[in-house]
Amino acid sequence: MAVVAVQPFVCFSESNWRNITRPCIPSHTTILLRSRKKIQFSLISCSSSQTPEADTQTAESCVNLGLQLFSKGRVKDALTQFETALSLNPNPVEAQAAFYNKACCHAYRGEGKKAADCLRTALREYNLKFATILNDPDLASFRVLPEFKELQEEARLGGEDIGYSFRRDLKLISEVQAPFRGVRRFFYVALTAGAGISLFLTVPRLIRAINGGDGAPDLLATSGNAAINIGGIVVLVALFFWDNKKEEEQLAQISRDETLSRLPLRLSTNRVVELVQLRDTVRPVILAGKKETVSLAMQRAERFRTDLLRRGVLLVPVIWGEGRETKIEKKGFGLQPKAAEALPSIGEDFEKRAQYVTAKSKLKTEIRFKAEVVSPAEWERWIRDQQKSEGVSVGEDVYIILRLDGRVRRSGRGVPDWEQIVKELPPMEAFLSKLER
């Protein structure tokens, strides 16, 4: 949710990032977009000296007032203020804040389509970063809805209109994981061009060979050269498109990994954290399926509890259909404030990594053998997407073992073989575990 902070007049570009911990009393105001966890998105100064209490309404004052109303739970009144801000000829920063916070209001009211339309406009016209949507706890209820899946898919595909920065960041991660893809594509294009030029020069010779006559080239040799060039072009073009397909699959997997990292859990101490906060600390094992299957898997895991704990295993049961029965509790906005800061998402400021290390040490004392999922529908949707990508029947009982770095290690159908998992996973203090981090 966008939050307004009051500061002395300053001039910053959109690339600057600050943490604001307490307001000051100035002659001018600035608009700060960040979440309740104080993950900020942009800081841009405004020349207006109006405040929400001023008699003359401005787009900035309406956004500020809307934020105050939203923080008090007056969502309908806040929505009115954001709509008013958009009617007062806002500058791009004010318009981005108004559309984004309007989307948060719609998400809180369960109006997924309206929230998606507002976010799409902010992404397309006002340079909103998609990582903002992924991180904001005020949009947790929206991320469960099909409209978010559609918006995320649009952002992943990229383009000039929406999500360009998100796709660019995904491609950077993809290049790190497959560093020679660009080199391969260069050779595909270069060799295809070479074969095409050779074929262009061979065709007249082939025609002369077919016509025969004095000085005509050998037909068999010329046709062989033409066939080699044609075959080379076909193979190289096929390899180029195959590489593109693999890249799209990899981008989709990276996008799923990012979504997985933001799924919330409730620890045994009733503390809510995102899965990304448990990186390097545990190996979550997701048990998804019918209640009977998940209960049986949990019971069998108890026999190996000590060995599994030594290997950092944290059981995460997800029962099919539980998300449809769970109602969103509108007691506040987003995750509990006690939740520790998470690792930065794609495109965020990685200075937060130091804060994460401190928070991780505190989390270690709270982690037990089992965690409870928050927003079961969101978890279920991610698992079904993962099943589609792995070619598994959607809705089948499965288990998914994650690595210490949060990526999927492997998965399987039915109840896991805990004895085999104990043999497969190294203890947390082992050297192989350090390589996973």
Side-chain angles (χ1 to χ4, degrees), residues 172-246:
L172 288 174
I173 297 175
S174 175
E175 289 173 7
V176 171
Q177 296 181 4
F180 299 109
R181 179 176 285 125
V183 176
R184 290 199 303 269
R185 285 177 174 173
F186 171 79
F187 280 109
Y188 293 156
V189 174
L191 293 175
T192 301
I197 294 172
S198 178
L199 180 63
F200 178 77
L201 298 175
T202 303
V203 168
R205 291 173 55 82
L206 180 61
I207 295 174
R208 289 175 54 196
I210 293 174
N211 292 334
D214 295 338
D218 182 69
L219 178 61
L220 184 61
T222 305
S223 59
N225 289 336
I228 292 174
N229 288 327
I230 293 173
I233 292 173
V234 171
V235 171
L236 290 170
V237 170
L239 287 173
F240 183 85
F241 282 107
W242 176 83
D243 223 339
N244 280 347
K245 181 181 177 182
K246 286 297 181 182

Side-chain angles (χ1 to χ4, degrees), residues 122-137:
L123 287 164
R124 181 186 296 118
E125 299 180 15
Y126 299 106
N127 198 32
L128 177 69
K129 299 297 183 288
F130 197 83
T132 305
I133 303 171
L134 289 174
N135 292 328
D136 196 341

Side-chain angles (χ1 to χ4, degrees), residues 283 403-405 407 430-437:
R283 292 185 176 100
R403 294 159 45 98
L404 287 172
D405 60 9
R407 292 185 293 167
F431 176 74
L432 291 178
S433 293
K434 296 179 181 178
L435 295 179
E436 281 190 27
R437 294 182 169 91

Side-chain angles (χ1 to χ4, degrees), residues 96 178 213 312 333:
Q96 184 195 87
F333 304 99

Side-chain angles (χ1 to χ4, degrees), residues 109-177:
R109 290 155 60 97
E111 299 166 346
K113 187 177 184 306
K114 292 181 179 180
D117 290 341
C118 291
L119 292 173
R120 190 174 284 107
T121 301
L123 287 164
R124 181 186 296 118
E125 299 180 15
Y126 299 106
N127 198 32
L128 177 69
K129 299 297 183 288
F130 197 83
T132 305
I133 303 171
L134 289 174
N135 292 328
D136 196 341
D138 291 327
L139 290 175
S141 59
F142 172 71
R143 291 194 291 267
V144 180
L145 303 178
E147 288 82 0
F148 169 73
K149 177 64 177 176
E150 296 173 4
L151 191 66
Q152 186 180 40
E153 187 64 15
E154 290 179 41
R156 185 181 68 81
L157 295 176
E160 296 180 358
D161 288 340
I162 179 171
Y164 174 77
S165 63
F166 182 62
R167 180 173 176 83
R168 179 198 60 205
D169 293 331
L170 290 178
K171 287 178 74 69
L172 288 174
I173 297 175
S174 175
E175 289 173 7
V176 171
Q177 296 181 4

